[in-house]
């Protein structure tokens, strides 16, 4: 049995608004009870009391006094003709039932409230007419004549009439029912409030058993009042969260009289709901027992929205990885821990190579799927104990904690690079090889704060890209210098075309079948006024990134065709030319139109032009590439796959592309003399190409031994310093015209 908590008795409890309504409702019920109890307390002893015996008249008089004293009623007698009222009541201050003082008075009838007057008159008339045996009415009267209205319940009847039956006097009793009227009114209002409250309210007994609930409670839990009455509160507990919060609630209620908190409850249909609960203890009508009033709010949806918002604020919706803001938070915490533990934190900045091309050519929906697959691949590789975040687009970041040495971070970077050598699957049997470039920065080696660490890792990532992509680089201060240098290069390149700083050189291609120079490859050169000679390996990626490669590519194509026409005009009309094409040119989809226009302008036969595309350009989107290349093939132009062996192209893809020529990358050719594996690969590539009916060209041939090997394996053409370096147009023409197939150059197999 609960005891009264001190704060409840002192009335010092802070009660929230929702609770206040419920308490008001309950208080109404309680108050009504109190009034009834008080009446009982006063009446019953009086009725039970044995009255002293006396003479009959005196006895009747005494009984009247006792009745008026005990009941608190007023006796009245109204003269309908003289309009005067005679009143009599017992003085409440009388010391005892043996010494009751009677108060009497004669005067006008007290004023009846104007709103109630019509009803009083109607009831009176009804009695006077004989329709009602008794006059009864509840109405407001100004008893003291001071403007305060009291509720009065009056009962009476005609006690004297004249010979014609006209009523002359009316007598009866009246009592002041203001207190009970108010209590009843409040009770009505209170239960109405409880019924109409949108919050679920449940009143429990001190054993936490339901006494009553409101309609909102039934709507919320599915239980109606009859179902829960007498049931324990644990009826609403689920198996998953048994007695969730209930123990704490009961202890605090005992102590402080109130409790609030959140708890999972189970609806009648089994659905779990999260409730915000306000519990208060209130005394019942007898003021001896305590009841518990619960106000419950279903906050399941609210919580879900709140969680969703928190998720949106911290996570990337595409990959479900932490976003930039959560990354910063975690990185900051990692740095604080590392400072305390004197350990290292590594930040890996990962960017997918040429992702923009993939996105533009395959469409954004596919791009999104690839990003999701890439995110999963990174997380899988580094393990869930490390934070992997997506910053934006194709940029991911890994935070590695507890790093002992920079080499640890490098090993993780290498593992990520290796993990990406397996193509990513995205959806139904679709696969694509994507490579990452990774920049690494370390706390405390390179920076002390998250923003700097991230900036440095980003710089290192750019360095990895510049180093040929698909690799990692650790930040060094010199890189900032390189980054600045790149920015300067990029802006100089923008003016290179109009300032005539670009030119094309030509590297002869030797046919091993007839020992003749059959054509050349056009190679771009940039001689910047301010910066001097810049290598294509440096400026081609810049031109691709900035989009300048589109205009530069058209210019190069035109130059190559014009030069070829001059050579044709000079009698070398068997020569063809190969021109390199970058991914951006392929992606734009108008490559065939551009080529057709240039061929028409320069009058070159399409069969004498070959377009070289690298594996990665073709593999980024084989379907799109094959469409564009088919258009080019339709013109009569040949297509070569350049730098073959460095990407991840599969035979299946190669077969789908309309190729004529396969150029073996110089990386394999370079080691032919002394690396058995490269010899084996080169032999395999040649055999494979021949089986696919492709012409094989070997690049970077520098020695007669390499040439002999290639000739012996059936390679059809070679290109390299052993034959000739790339030459200026006039020089190249002279070289070709004067080419003497000397035995040294044309090493026999
Ligand atoms: P690539 O198309 O594979 O061109 C062959 C590269 O190998 C050329 O480098 C050439 O000078 C070099 N080379 C040729 N023979 C030998 C040799 O025996 N030994 C060695 N070590 N190197 C040799 P280059 O001219 O520096 O061009 C580099 C790359 O830049 C090209 O590789 C090509 O991918 C790109 N490129 C050059 N010109 C253009 C162009 O007009 N457009 C586009 N999109 N890319 C171009
Ligand atoms: Mg090439
Ligand atoms: Mg090449």
């Amino acid at each position: 049995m609960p005891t009264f908590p001190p704060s409840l008795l002192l009335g010092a409890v802070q009660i929230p608004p929702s609770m206040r309504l419920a308490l008001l409702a309950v208080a109404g019920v309680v108050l009504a009870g109190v009034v009834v109890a008080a009446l009982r307390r006063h009446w019953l002893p009086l009725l039970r009391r044995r009255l002293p015996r006396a003479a009959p008249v005196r006895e009747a008089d005494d009984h009247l006094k006792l009745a008026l004293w005990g009941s608190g009623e007023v006796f009245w007698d109204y003269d309908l003709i003289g309009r005067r009222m005679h009143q009599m009541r017992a003085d409440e201050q009388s010391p005892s039932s043996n010494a009751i003082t009677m108060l009497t008075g004669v005067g006008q009838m007290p004023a009846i409230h104007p709103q109630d007057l019509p009803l009083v008159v109607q009831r009176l008339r009804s009695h006077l007419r004989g329709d009602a045996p008794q006059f009864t009415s509840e109405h407001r009267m100004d008893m003291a004549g001071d403007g305060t209205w009291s509720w009065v319940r009056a009962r009476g009847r005609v006690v004297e009439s004249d010979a014609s039956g006209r009523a002359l006097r009316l007598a009866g009793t009246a009592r002041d029912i203001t207190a009970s009227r108010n209590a009843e009114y409040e009770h009505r209002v209170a239960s109405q409030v409880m019924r109409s409250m949108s919050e679920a309210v449940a009143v429990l007994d001190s054993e936490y058993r339901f006494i009553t609930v409101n309609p909102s409670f039934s709507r919320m839990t599915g239980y109606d009042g009859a179902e829960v009455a007498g049931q324990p509160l644990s009826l609403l507990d689920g198996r998953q969260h048994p007695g969730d919060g209930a123990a704490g609630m009961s202890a605090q209620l005992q102590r402080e009289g109130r409790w609030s908190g959140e708890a999972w409850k189970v609806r009648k249909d089994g659905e779990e709901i999260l409730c915000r609960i306000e519990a208060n203890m209130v005394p019942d009508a007898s003021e001896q027992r305590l009841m518990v009033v619960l106000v419950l709010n279903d906050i399941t949806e609210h919580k879900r929205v709140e969680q969703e918002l928190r998720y949106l604020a911290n996570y990337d919706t595409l990959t479900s990885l932490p976003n930039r803001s959560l990354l910063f938070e975690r990185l900051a915490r990692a740095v604080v821990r590392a400072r305390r533990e004197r350990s290292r934190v590594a930040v890996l900045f990962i960017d997918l190579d040429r992702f923009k091309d993939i996105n533009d050519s395959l469409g954004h929906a596919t791009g999104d799927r690839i990003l999701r697959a890439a995110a999963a691949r990174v997380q899988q590789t580094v393990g869930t104990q490390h934070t992997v975040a997506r910053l934006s687009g194709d940029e991911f970041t890994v935070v590695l904690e507890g790093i002992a040495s920079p080499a640890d971070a490098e090993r993780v970077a290498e593992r990520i690079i290796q993990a990406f050598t397996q193509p990513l699957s995205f959806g139904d049997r679709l696969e694509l090889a994507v490579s990452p470039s990774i920049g690494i920065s370390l706390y405390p080696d390179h920076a002390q704060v998250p923003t700097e660490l991230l900036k440095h890792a980003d710089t290192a990532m750019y360095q990895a890209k510049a180093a040929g992509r698909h690799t990692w680089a650790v930040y060094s201060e010199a890189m900032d210098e390189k980054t600045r240098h790149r920015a300067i290069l990029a802006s100089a390149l923008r003016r290179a075309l109009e300032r005539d700083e670009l030119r094309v050189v030509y590297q002869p291609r030797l046919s091993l079948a007839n020992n003749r120079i059959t054509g050349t490859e056009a190679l771009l050169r940039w001689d910047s006024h301010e910066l001097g000679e810049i290598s294509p390996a440096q400026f081609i990626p810049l031109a691709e990134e900035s989009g300048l490669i589109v205009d530069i590519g058209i210019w190069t194509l035109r130059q190559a065709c014009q030069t070829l026409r001059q050579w044709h005009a000079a009698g070398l009309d068997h020569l063809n030319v190969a021109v390199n094409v970058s991914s951006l040119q392929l992606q734009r989809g108008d490559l065939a139109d551009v080529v057709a226009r240039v061929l028409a302008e320069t009058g070159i036969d399409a069969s004498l032009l070959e377009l070289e595309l690298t594996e990665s350009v073709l593999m980024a989107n084989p379907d799109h590439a094959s469409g564009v290349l088919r258009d080019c093939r339709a013109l009569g132009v040949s297509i070569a796959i350049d730098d073959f062996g460095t990407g991840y192209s599969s035979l299946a893809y190669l077969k789908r592309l309309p190729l004529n020529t396969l150029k073996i990358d110089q990386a394999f050719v370079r080691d032919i003399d002394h690396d058995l594996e490269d010899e084996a690969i080169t032999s395999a590539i040649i055999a494979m190409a021949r089986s696919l009916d492709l012409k094989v060209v070997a690049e970077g041939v520098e020695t007669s031994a390499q040439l002999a090997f290639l000739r012996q394996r059936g390679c059809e053409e070679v290109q390299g310093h052993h034959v000739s370096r790339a030459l200026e147009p006039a020089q190249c023409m002279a070289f070709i015209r004067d080419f003497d197939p000397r035995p040294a150059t044309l090493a026999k197999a």
Side-chain angles (χ1 to χ4, degrees):
M1 164 79 63
T3 48
F4 282 88
S7 59
L8 187 74
L9 295 176
L10 293 172
V13 190
Q14 285 283 315
I15 298 173
S18 62
M19 193 71 208
R20 236 176 269 149
L21 275 176
L23 285 180
L24 177 67
V26 175
V29 178
V30 170
L31 186 57
V34 169
V35 170
V36 172
L39 286 178
R40 259 194 226 129
R41 265 203 297 277
H42 287 110
W43 266 101
L44 291 178
L46 274 174
L47 289 176
R48 287 192 195 114
R49 196 178 194 126
R50 292 169 115 231
L51 300 172
R53 297 213 158 267
V57 175
R58 166 120 184 84
E59 205 172 298
D61 199 25
D62 281 351
H63 282 171
L64 176 64
K65 277 186 188 176
L66 276 173
L68 292 181
W69 184 65
S71 66
E73 302 237 351
V74 177
F75 170 79
W76 55 268
D77 185 346
Y78 187 53
D79 175 359
L80 289 163
I81 309 299
R83 294 186 179 269
R84 294 186 69 74
M85 180 171 264
H86 180 243
Q87 285 189 45
M88 176 168 69
R89 65 184 169 92
D91 184 358
E92 277 171 18
Q93 310 298 322
S94 301
S96 74
S97 55
N98 293 329
I100 298 170
T101 318
M102 296 305 289
L103 303 170
T104 55
V106 183
Q108 284 191 336
M109 183 163 60
I112 294 174
H113 194 286
Q115 275 178 11
D116 301 340
L117 191 58
L119 193 69
V120 176
V121 170
Q122 186 197 336
R123 295 202 157 206
L124 185 60
R125 282 204 181 122
S126 162
H127 174 60
L128 293 180
R129 270 201 309 272
D131 295 343
Q134 198 182 29
F135 162 72
T136 58
S137 168
E138 277 183 24
H139 52 266
R140 280 162 289 180
M141 291 183 102
D142 182 2
M143 301 304 285
D146 59 1
T148 43
W149 298 103
S150 310
W151 278 97
V152 170
R153 180 187 296 141
R155 272 189 280 247
R157 61 174 76 211
V158 174
V159 292
E160 189 184 336
S161 309
D162 64 10
S164 62
R166 191 166 69 118
L168 297 175
R169 266 176 71 208
L170 202 64
T173 58
R175 59 176 294 139
D176 187 332
I177 55 165
T178 310
S180 62
R181 245 330 261 229
N182 284 349
E184 192 189 314
Y185 176 74
E186 276 175 21
H187 177 72
R188 258 203 331 269
V189 169
S191 43
Q192 193 53 44
V193 166
M194 184 159 148
R195 290 189 65 76
S196 61
M197 266 172 80
S198 60
E199 284 93 352
V201 178
V203 181
L204 313 173
D205 65 17
S206 54
E207 313 288 322
Y208 296 98
R209 287 176 188 283
F210 287 97
I211 299 171
T212 180
V213 297
N214 72 349
S216 291
F217 178 92
S218 301
R219 269 195 301 278
M220 188 172 114
T221 63
Y223 291 108
D224 64 33
E227 280 174 299
V228 294
Q231 296 278 354
L233 177 61
S234 60
L235 176 72
L236 301 179
D237 288 347
R239 256 179 302 153
Q240 241 175 319
H241 313 271
D244 187 1
M249 171 172 104
S250 135
Q252 194 183 328
L253 270 175
Q254 293 293 332
R255 235 179 16 253
E256 297 171 24
R258 62 181 300 257
W259 177 88
S260 66
E262 288 171 9
W264 283 97
K265 296 289 165 201
V266 180
R267 287 171 46 90
K268 188 179 169 187
D269 61 13
E271 196 190 316
E272 292 217 313
I273 47 173
L274 184 61
C275 297
R276 167 94 206 145
I277 304 176
E278 309 271 355
N280 272 265
M281 268 198 172
V282 290
D284 74 354
S286 67
E287 297 193 34
Q288 285 169 352
R289 292 166 66 89
L290 289 173
M291 299 186 302
V292 178
V293 180
L294 298 184
V295 178
L296 303 101
N297 274 293
D298 181 352
I299 56 166
T300 322
E301 181 63 14
H302 177 80
K303 255 285 178 316
R304 197 184 58 72
V305 170
E306 196 180 283
Q307 270 168 356
E308 217 160 76
L309 285 178
R310 194 175 314 143
Y311 183 85
L312 285 178
N314 286 304
Y315 289 87
D316 164 41
T317 45
L318 178 67
T319 60
S320 305
L321 292 179
N323 63 11
R324 182 180 289 269
S325 87
L326 188 54
L327 167 79
F328 269 93
E329 200 182 305
R330 296 218 182 142
L331 184 54
R333 263 189 263 143
V335 165
V336 169
R337 262 196 298 271
R339 187 193 295 265
R340 200 173 47 227
E341 293 163 10
R342 300 190 177 286
S343 61
R344 282 193 161 88
V345 179
V347 175
L348 272 56
F349 199 109
I350 305 174
D351 187 284
L352 301 181
D353 297 334
R354 303 188 195 282
F355 182 75
K356 201 180 159 303
D357 298 355
I358 297 174
N359 217 22
D360 290 348
S361 52
L362 295 188
H364 288 225
T366 307
D368 284 354
R369 276 148 76 193
I370 293 168
L371 284 177
R372 270 198 289 268
R377 180 73 50 91
V378 176
Q379 184 81 73
Q380 223 170 36
T381 311
V382 301
T384 45
Q385 73 272 29
H386 296 298
T387 296
V388 177
R390 177 168 172 246
L391 289 192
S392 64
D394 60 339
E395 292 174 343
F396 298 90
T397 307
V398 180
V399 177
L400 299 173
E401 284 192 70
I403 292 283
S405 75
D408 283 355
E410 291 169 25
R411 266 193 291 279
V412 175
E414 186 56 42
R415 279 217 317 272
I416 296 173
I417 300 269
Q418 285 309 317
F420 274 86
T421 55
Q422 292 295 316
L424 295 175
S425 1
F426 56 101
D428 234 13
R429 290 187 294 136
L430 291 171
E431 286 195 338
L432 185 92
V434 180
S435 65
S437 293
I438 306 176
I440 305 172
S441 71
L442 292 146
Y443 168 89
D445 310 58
H446 303 131
Q448 306 294 317
V449 293
T451 42
E452 289 287 295
L453 278 168
L454 215 60
K455 201 178 92 189
H456 291 343
D458 188 12
T459 304
M461 185 278 293
Y462 266 102
Q463 209 51 51
K465 288 237 188 249
R469 299 192 165 97
H470 191 213
T471 185
W472 50 266
V474 181
Y475 171 79
S476 73
E477 273 176 31
M479 283 179 182
D480 287 331
E481 185 50 44
K482 281 191 183 163
T483 315
R484 262 198 301 283
H485 183 66
R486 267 173 67 86
I488 294 168
L489 271 191
S491 71
L493 185 61
R494 238 162 268 136
R495 298 186 303 268
L497 256 186
E498 62 203 51
R499 293 166 91 187
D500 226 4
E501 293 175 351
L502 297 175
R503 69 200 153 82
V504 181
V505 293
Y506 299 87
Q507 183 171 42
R509 256 159 64 166
L510 173 69
S511 159
L512 297 183
N514 54 20
N515 294 333
R516 274 174 58 168
I517 304 292
T518 49
T520 61
E521 176 176 0
L523 294 164
L524 200 52
R525 294 288 175 265
W526 176 26
D527 205 356
S528 161
H529 290 329
E530 295 98 354
L531 307 164
E533 180 91 25
I534 318 280
S535 93
Q538 259 189 301
F539 76 81
I540 297 285
L542 273 186
E544 281 173 348
E545 263 167 43
S546 57
L548 287 170
I549 195 71
V550 174
D551 288 342
I552 292 178
I554 297 173
W555 180 85
T556 311
L557 183 65
R558 191 175 284 124
Q559 286 291 309
C561 289
Q562 279 168 0
T563 305
L564 190 64
R565 200 180 54 186
Q566 285 165 17
W567 293 348
H568 285 182
L572 300 171
D573 52 6
H574 67 287
L575 288 181
N576 58 40
V577 71
V579 177
N580 293 288
V581 173
S582 85
S583 65
L584 203 59
Q585 290 169 277
L586 187 70
Q587 250 171 57
R588 287 170 55 97
D590 61 350
L591 186 64
D593 297 340
V594 170
V595 169
R597 208 169 55 233
V598 173
L599 287 176
E601 265 173 37
T602 53
I604 293 291
D605 192 300
S607 66
L608 298 178
L609 176 66
E610 185 160 71
L611 301 177
E612 291 190 10
L613 294 109
T614 61
E615 247 180 305
S616 53
V617 169
L618 294 175
M619 289 309 131
N621 184 357
D623 291 334
H624 177 78
S626 108
V628 175
L629 296 185
R630 258 171 237 289
D631 294 345
C632 294
R633 279 295 298 277
L635 299 173
V637 170
S638 306
I639 309 292
I641 181 161
D642 202 356
D643 301 348
F644 186 80
T646 54
Y648 308 105
S649 29
S650 68
L651 260 179
Y653 278 152
L654 276 189
K655 278 204 311 217
R656 278 161 55 190
L657 295 170
L659 300 175
N660 305 84
T661 306
L662 186 153
K663 296 186 78 176
I664 306 176
D665 192 70
Q666 42 179 290
F668 300 105
V669 176
R670 189 183 305 134
D671 294 327
I672 276 175
D673 294 342
H674 42 269
D675 188 326
L676 283 176
E677 198 179 325
D678 277 355
E679 284 182 9
I681 292 173
T682 309
S683 305
I685 293 175
I686 295 171
M688 180 201 81
R690 292 177 74 103
S691 78
L692 288 176
D693 217 10
L694 298 176
K695 179 161 83 181
V696 194
V697 180
E699 296 185 284
V701 177
E702 295 183 347
T703 67
S704 54
Q706 289 165 348
L707 186 77
F709 177 86
L710 292 163
R711 185 191 289 280
Q712 195 243 334
R713 294 300 147 102
C715 177
E716 283 144 300
E717 282 187 16
V718 292
Q719 185 183 334
H721 294 172
H722 184 61
V723 179
S724 168
R725 289 177 180 270
L727 303 166
E728 299 298 326
Q731 264 180 301
C732 191
M733 190 175 81
F735 175 85
I736 296 168
R737 199 177 43 213
D738 305 337
F739 182 70
D740 170 20
R742 286 160 290 154
T745 317
L746 307 171
K748 291 279 179 300

